[in-house]
Amino acid sequence: PGEEALLVGARKVTGFQPWRDEILSCDLKGTPLEGKAFRQLFFRGERMIMARYPNKDPEDPHFGTWAHVLAVDGDAVKNRFTYTDDVEKNWTRVQDAQVGIHPGYDWGWNIVPVKSVDREEKVIHLGQNVSYDLRVGDRYYVQNLLEELDAPGEWYLDREASVLYFWPPSDMNAGDVLAPVLPTVVEMRDAKHITVRGLTLEACDDNAAAIRASENCRIA
């Protein structure tokens, strides 16, 4: 009684070494995180930011955190747009990057993979369609690019090499960093009369809990 019980869907990341300036690197090969394409990183219980452009601005989240679509070559285009001159900086491994975008004047929110970047035409080609036609001025950012790791709290995972890069927002101790190995901490399927109560569910890559095709089940 009185104790806190945790169910954690992540592993501790240890063995960080200096890489460049304030950025650290950690070779994940030979660990349970090798080959894991995790999409979250946690530092002392808080979610960190995947390396991105523009950087997240906590003081101005509605306007200061975004790039804006410069042009779209058609009226019903969902998979490519022209970017402004400030966006692209000779990115490598663009095939690992993602675009987070509000298409169609903010009617939707999508995170989609980048297929390719045409530097001559300044066009980003997406790996799948977004949910609404793209419009001039649509807000977006580009994430998971090592070249954009330029602020405290940002991180980048080289999935092919299984190397994690991280700029900690403050001094770091062993056990401060967690990377998910599970998409969901508690999942019930075809279940009946189950209650999960008094537990903290945290540090997974997707939903903390999921109940499917079940009856009289509760997360409390």
Side-chain angles (χ1 to χ4, degrees):
E3 294 295 327
E4 183 180 21
L6 307 177
L7 292 181
V8 182
R11 295 271 189 170
K12 293 179 180 179
V13 185
T14 58
F16 282 96
Q17 301 292 329
W19 182 66
R20 186 180 67 200
D21 300 327
E22 303 297 325
I23 301 172
L24 309 178
S25 68
C26 184
D27 189 345
L28 303 177
K29 292 188 289 294
T31 76
L33 292 165
E34 181 178 1
K36 297 288 186 181
F38 49 85
R39 299 177 293 121
Q40 313 283 347
L41 194 74
F42 300 92
F43 178 76
R44 297 180 183 172
E46 294 192 10
R47 181 182 290 109
M48 297 291 99
I49 301 167
M50 193 178 291
R52 52 173 279 181
Y53 182 83
N55 289 340
K56 184 175 181 179
D57 182 357
E59 301 299 322
D60 189 11
H62 293 294
F63 301 103
T65 298
W66 308 92
H68 297 86
V69 171
L70 178 64
V72 181
D73 62 343
D75 294 329
V77 176
K78 297 182 178 181
N79 63 357
R80 63 190 181 276
F81 61 85
T82 303
Y83 57 85
T84 51
D85 290 340
D86 59 296
V87 172
E88 203 275 328
K89 308 173 188 66
N90 295 318
W91 297 326
T92 57
R93 300 194 61 78
V94 295
Q95 68 274 18
D96 291 338
Q98 299 171 318
V99 167
I101 189 167
H102 285 291
Y105 303 128
D106 285 4
W107 276 102
W109 169 247
N110 301 145
I111 297 178
V112 295
V114 173
K115 180 180 179 181
S116 63
V117 176
D118 185 332
R119 294 187 171 99
E120 289 188 3
E121 299 294 329
K122 292 183 169 53
V123 172
I124 292 177
H125 295 267
L126 305 175
Q128 65 188 58
N129 288 348
V130 295
S131 53
Y132 293 91
D133 296 343
L134 291 162
R135 305 293 187 188
V136 173
D138 283 345
R139 299 182 293 160
Y140 74 96
Y141 58 75
V142 187
Q143 67 178 10
N144 201 40
L145 293 158
L146 181 58
E147 290 81 5
E148 301 300 345
L149 207 172
D150 58 3
E154 288 193 335
W155 62 279
Y156 166 77
L157 175 64
D158 185 333
R159 298 171 181 174
E160 183 175 330
S162 284
V163 176
L164 173 65
Y165 299 87
F166 179 45
W167 184 338
S170 59
D171 293 340
M172 187 169 65
N173 299 312
D176 282 346
V177 179
L178 294 175
V181 292
L182 294 177
T184 301
V185 179
V186 172
E187 183 171 359
M188 304 180 196
R189 185 185 299 272
D190 299 320
K192 295 182 179 180
H193 310 297
I194 296 176
T195 296
V196 177
R197 185 189 304 274
L199 296 168
T200 294
L201 316 179
E202 65 179 16
C204 59
D205 224 9
D206 204 331
N207 297 314
I211 303 176
R212 298 182 173 90
S214 298
E215 297 179 20
N216 296 311
C217 293
R218 176 182 295 178
I219 307 293

